[in-house]
Amino acid sequence: MAPSGHAVLQMAAAAGTSGVGGRLGTMGRGQGSAVAALKGGNMKTYLMALGGAGLLLSVSAVAALAQTEKPTLPPDPPKFEAQGQVDYVGVKDIFEFKALPEYHEPDWVTKNFVDTGKLPPVKDRLPKEPLVYKKANMVDGIGVYGDTLRHVIGGRPEGWNYIGGQSQGWGGIDIGMSECLTRSGPLFEIKADELEPLPNLAKSWEWSADGKQLTMHLIEGAKWSDGVPFTSEDLMFYWNDNVNDPNVTPLNGATPATFGEGTTLEAKDDYTVVWTFKQPFAKQYLYQMAYGTFCPGPAHILKPQHPKYSKNTYEQYKNAFPPEYMNIPVMGAWVPVEYRPDDIVVLRRNPYYWKVDEAGNQLPYLNEMHYKLSTWADRDVQAVAGSGDFANLEQPESFVEALKRSASKDAPARLEFGPRLIGYSLYPNYSANGWGEPDERGQAVRDLNRNDHFRKAITEAVDRKRLGESLVKGPFTTIYPGGIYSGTVYYDKDSTAYYPYDLASAKAELELAGLKDTDGDGIVNFPAGTAGGKNVEVTLLVNADYQTDKSLADGIVAMMEPLGIRVILNTVEGKQRDALQQAGKFDWMIFRNTEELTSVVQKTVNLAPVGPQTSYYHRAGKDGQLDLLPFEQQLVDITNKFIATSDGAERKDLMKQFQKVYTDNVYGIGLTQYPGALIINKRFANVPKGTPINLFNWAEDSVIRERMFVPAEKQGNYELHAETLPGAPGSAGAVK
Ligand code: GLA
Ligand code: CA
């Protein structure tokens, strides 16, 4: 039985929050002292402490005495059960593509737009066979039209050229605008034996007998939100001139290798495309065709701005649709119609949306979407207070407050904790051949990053218990050694190497990596002849938009100090952080992990550097070559084998091998892992039970927002552009 919200609240309240700064401020200080070591009664620590205290033994003599520690198995996470029980179903239980005898739309659309000749009748705006959501799978059944979903986001829109690499500010805005060939978010409720990405823009597909060709059938007769037909031309523009153009980096980083080296895509006709893979039955790539690596943009609008078809530079192409540009055509349910800098983005229903309910009502039910431009922490605050409607509660610093405030019966929002799917790692930059063009010091750090002893030193200097507790006390955070998350199907504890916190062993590892404090100022120096023999200073790239990222970074600085490594924070706003990461301009980075570690099957190509530009922290140098370490090559081989097989037992076994190689070698340095909660205002209906905040995708995808509605008696008066629809692309905004 899952504990009641009340029980969870009590645990949290008893635990209380801890002042992050305060805790970390005192941490790390006395830890290397002889007194602390003696109290601990550990001989190795004691010897190291003596050395650290500058007694008779020289540092190297102590290191020779000290031993490095063997890894152990990770401890079991404290009990924390997810609150919502998922009702598992088959794909056909959720939706089907079929024509219905009649279709409906909001009355005001018929009256103000169809009857006046501004829009064709709804049946002519829909595809031949729309996507039809089944009533039985809708928690509250067929909905009614009206109302607004008020999001709050911490990002800011750079512009609307998603496939050209621009972010819309995250928090579900791009997820709601872009539709992709397949869909992954709702897979959290698909039965294990039917687990495969859901059809979406690709309504069906079949494999050739030899398994090398995949023929996909697109929805026929669907239209962009401006009424222009959606065809294979949109896919080909995305594929040829964005994914395969090395000068373009689509927002979520799709590259040719994302779909397998040597893969080709061809259009047979307007509604048929054929993929040809080097491997037979590479079903894994169906996941890559979901959000966000195969979500085509409107070719009729974007193509004329692309350098291949215009005089534009690539920079001009990328920036051709600034946030002020309204009514960018989308395949998603809502279209941007208003933008006020640092204030709000407003989207209105797409009159050509191609999904309906079983009664033939064109979706979405919700007329409007708001994205208030604020901070991520404010998203939690507003959702709990009822001035916002939706939040992924993912920053543990706000857990206790949010729990307390949601506990009362008349609280405006529901708060439901899910499994431990949020986690952070510290990633070293593994490129030693020029990615990001490091200077002499940076290059020396890259060389250290590639040294096993160095990474073991780092991981052993991290006190994960304290780090987790610095975010929130209580049964939330757990020790995360790195690699595949515990609590996901592919996790195997026995294949997981955990290097517990052990400063003495960490120092011995550092010594084995060739680092000594030659000038006795407490910071180890590069060996003579490397980077001027200076103190080892490492920059850590941190996202300023999230308190959790900053708290963890502060913890790392404090924990590396007694080890003798100076960490210098490069804390910048999310947009800039992402750009620096893309460009390889970092020594280490703090990173909130994504779906390859939570689900393994989603974003699988991110598990290891399978292509020159696919990894988050190891990309090719200027010569286009990846300088993979031997163990990385093993990870790449295992990942490719995983992608190539559909055999469940083999896959499990491959991921055991993966986890072993990954954690033995401390590839990514795990920090902490904890559950998140979905907060949704109580007036919303059709929120699937037990929706995780991030398993196969973020909750904004998984809850199927186009199907959510507000019962008539609960509808609020939040629409800013009532009874209007998006206007022509680039025009001022919504029209009556
Ligand atoms: C940000 C937020 C997440 C989620 C995603 C959606 O990353 O932190 O909670 O909303 O955007 O892309
Ligand atoms: Ca020094």
Side-chain angles (χ1 to χ4, degrees):
M1 261 286 288
S4 69
H6 190 62
V8 175
L9 173 68
Q10 278 177 343
M11 287 191 280
T17 34
S18 49
V20 176
R23 289 191 64 83
L24 292 175
T26 53
M27 174 166 53
R29 299 273 174 247
Q31 272 171 11
S33 81
V35 179
L38 281 171
K39 278 192 188 151
N42 176 320
M43 193 57 172
K44 284 192 304 88
T45 317
Y46 174 59
L47 286 173
M48 284 310 292
L50 288 179
L55 294 184
L56 292 172
L57 294 165
S58 77
V59 173
S60 57
V62 172
L65 284 173
Q67 289 165 18
T68 58
E69 281 295 297
K70 289 249 161 55
T72 62
L73 291 180
D76 289 322
K79 257 211 150 28
F80 186 90
E81 276 171 68
Q83 286 168 271
Q85 299 295 327
V86 177
D87 288 336
Y88 292 96
V89 295
V91 176
K92 290 244 151 58
D93 296 323
I94 304 182
F95 66 82
E96 254 179 296
F97 290 87
K98 63 177 177 192
L100 294 178
E102 53 181 292
Y103 298 105
H104 310 281
E105 63 190 344
D107 288 342
W108 58 266
V109 176
T110 322
K111 211 170 111 236
N112 303 353
F113 291 89
V114 179
D115 292 352
T116 57
K118 288 181 190 152
L119 271 184
V122 62
K123 68 168 181 12
D124 299 333
R125 304 200 306 269
L126 288 165
K128 231 163 75 179
E129 295 185 324
L131 186 156
V132 182
Y133 283 111
K134 303 278 179 81
K135 185 178 165 200
N137 180 252
M138 291 157 61
V139 191
D140 303 292
I142 302 287
V144 295
Y145 290 116
D147 213 334
T148 302
L149 184 58
R150 299 165 302 159
H151 300 261
V152 176
I153 62 177
R156 294 294 180 273
E158 291 175 303
W160 307 111
N161 194 356
Y162 176 84
I163 66 170
Q166 284 188 319
S167 153
Q168 281 76 61
W170 311 109
I173 178 165
D174 56 330
I175 295 176
M177 289 170 57
S178 311
E179 296 273 350
C180 318
L181 280 183
T182 62
R183 187 169 186 176
S184 64
L187 292 180
F188 77 92
E189 63 165 337
I190 296 291
K191 303 189 259 224
D193 58 345
E194 279 195 35
L195 194 64
E196 179 174 89
L198 302 171
N200 200 48
L201 291 174
K203 68 174 184 175
S204 64
W205 52 78
E206 65 268 342
W207 295 88
S208 61
D210 70 355
K212 298 259 176 92
Q213 295 205 319
L214 171 68
T215 302
M216 286 191 141
H217 306 283
L218 307 178
I219 39 162
E220 261 179 66
K223 300 181 176 67
W224 290 92
S225 54
D226 60 351
V228 172
F230 162 78
T231 67
S232 56
E233 161 71 11
D234 296 302
L235 274 64
M236 295 319 295
F237 172 63
Y238 175 62
W239 176 254
N240 289 327
D241 299 325
N242 293 275
V243 177
N244 278 280
D245 185 331
N247 301 300
V248 182
T249 307
L251 183 63
N252 281 288
T255 76
T258 305
F259 305 91
E261 248 11 294
T263 298
T264 61
L265 179 67
E266 266 176 294
K268 283 273 170 270
D269 58 47
D270 275 0
Y271 302 114
T272 317
V273 293
V274 180
W275 292 91
T276 306
F277 301 104
K278 293 265 181 257
Q279 299 276 342
F281 299 107
K283 293 188 180 171
Q284 191 55 48
Y285 293 122
L286 291 168
Y287 286 93
Q288 300 292 130
M289 296 175 201
Y291 176 84
T293 38
F294 212 110
C295 319
H300 64 288
I301 299 287
L302 302 180
K303 199 170 171 177
Q305 302 296 330
H306 189 283
K308 204 162 138 192
Y309 312 94
S310 74
K311 294 211 167 80
N312 280 345
T313 63
Y314 279 97
E315 206 48 31
Q316 285 168 327
Y317 165 61
K318 182 177 176 182
N319 297 312
F321 305 92
E324 293 76 23
Y325 182 100
M326 289 291 103
N327 301 304
I328 184 90
V330 301
M331 289 303 286
W334 300 273
V335 187
V337 297
E338 188 183 2
Y339 164 66
R340 291 185 239 143
D342 281 329
D343 183 0
I344 197 169
V345 181
V346 182
L347 294 89
R348 289 289 294 173
R349 59 181 307 115
N350 167 2
Y352 288 90
Y353 198 53
W354 45 284
K355 303 183 183 179
V356 302
D357 67 20
E358 250 182 324
N361 297 307
Q362 185 186 31
L363 298 176
Y365 293 125
L366 299 168
N367 286 332
E368 205 167 287
M369 294 297 244
H370 291 176
Y371 292 89
K372 298 192 228 181
L373 306 175
S374 181
T375 65
W376 296 113
D378 190 41
R379 175 171 73 168
D380 301 339
V381 171
Q382 292 212 37
V384 166
S387 56
D389 292 322
F390 185 104
N392 297 322
L393 184 68
E394 60 196 359
Q395 300 196 74
E397 293 91 336
S398 4
F399 281 10
V400 174
E401 196 55 27
L403 275 167
K404 276 188 196 153
R405 285 171 171 261
S406 321
S408 84
K409 271 219 149 45
D410 48 9
R414 284 191 283 236
L415 184 155
E416 211 175 65
F417 267 98
R420 281 197 179 85
L421 291 172
I422 306 292
Y424 280 83
S425 298
L426 183 146
Y427 292 105
N429 189 329
Y430 279 93
S431 164
N433 66 349
W435 180 40
E437 301 167 35
D439 58 12
E440 206 192 339
R441 182 207 56 82
Q443 182 64 39
V445 173
R446 304 281 179 95
D447 294 335
L448 283 176
N449 287 343
R450 294 165 66 89
N451 180 307
D452 281 0
H453 293 296
F454 183 70
R455 292 191 309 280
K456 282 175 190 165
I458 307 308
T459 205
E460 287 183 344
V462 176
D463 183 345
R464 290 171 174 79
K465 198 163 180 319
R466 292 187 90 144
L467 203 54
E469 283 176 359
S470 77
L471 304 177
V472 62
K473 287 194 193 170
F476 301 104
T477 65
T478 188
I479 282 175
Y480 171 48
I484 297 167
Y485 283 16
S486 61
T488 65
V489 277
Y490 288 104
Y491 176 76
D492 179 50
K493 179 173 165 171
D494 293 332
S495 306
T496 306
Y498 167 50
Y499 294 85
Y501 171 60
D502 186 334
L503 194 56
S505 175
K507 287 192 173 187
E509 292 285 4
L510 212 53
E511 177 99 19
L512 289 170
L515 299 180
K516 286 178 206 167
D517 179 13
T518 48
D519 51 7
D521 65 355
I523 307 293
V524 295
N525 294 66
F526 287 111
T530 306
K534 289 193 191 130
N535 278 346
V536 174
E537 293 184 347
V538 179
T539 63
L540 178 57
L541 181 60
V542 186
N543 190 339
D545 296 356
Y546 295 90
Q547 182 53 49
T548 309
D549 296 54
K550 293 191 282 185
S551 308
L552 292 171
D554 287 345
I556 292 299
V557 172
M559 288 170 185
M560 291 305 123
E561 191 203 292
L563 180 65
I565 290 183
R566 179 168 291 144
V567 175
I568 295 158
L569 299 181
N570 184 17
T571 310
V572 293
E573 64 164 352
K575 255 195 279 189
Q576 203 187 338
R577 193 219 80 97
D578 293 351
L580 292 172
Q581 182 196 327
Q582 277 287 335
K585 303 243 179 243
F586 63 93
D587 297 338
W588 295 354
M589 65 168 179
I590 294 270
F591 190 63
R592 187 178 66 190
N593 287 309
T594 62
E595 293 85 349
E596 70 277 9
L597 296 179
T598 60
S599 77
V600 177
V601 292
Q602 188 64 38
K603 296 194 183 170
T604 307
V605 293
N606 293 119
L607 282 172
V610 297
Q613 305 297 336
T614 56
S615 167
Y616 295 122
Y617 44 94
H618 194 174
R619 296 195 185 177
K622 277 217 178 117
D623 58 356
Q625 298 302 308
L626 271 168
D627 53 353
L628 295 180
L629 293 165
F631 83 84
E632 282 185 287
Q633 186 60 53
Q634 278 179 279
L635 293 176
V636 167
D637 294 344
I638 296 169
T639 303
N640 283 332
K641 277 191 200 152
F642 181 89
I643 288 170
T645 178
S646 309
D647 182 303
E650 194 185 341
R651 292 188 132 207
K652 274 217 129 144
D653 187 58
L654 284 164
M655 276 307 122
K656 283 186 187 173
Q657 295 173 33
F658 179 90
Q659 182 79 344
K660 182 147 179 31
V661 176
Y662 187 110
T663 55
D664 272 351
N665 290 284
V666 198
Y667 192 35
I669 297 158
L671 298 177
T672 188
Q673 199 184 295
Y674 53 83
L678 185 63
I679 311 180
I680 299 193
N681 192 284
K682 286 176 183 164
R683 73 181 195 287
F684 289 91
N686 275 352
V687 179
K689 278 197 261 171
T691 311
I693 77 167
N694 186 16
L695 181 50
F696 295 95
N697 193 1
W698 287 102
E700 289 91 334
D701 183 24
S702 314
V703 292
I704 315 186
R705 287 175 295 178
E706 64 267 29
R707 231 175 44 159
M708 276 166 53
F709 71 97
V710 180
E713 70 281 7
K714 290 190 190 159
Q715 290 199 359
N717 193 14
Y718 303 118
E719 289 181 56
L720 293 172
H721 299 277
E723 304 208 347
T724 69
L725 287 175
S731 69
V735 292
K736 274 246 181 236

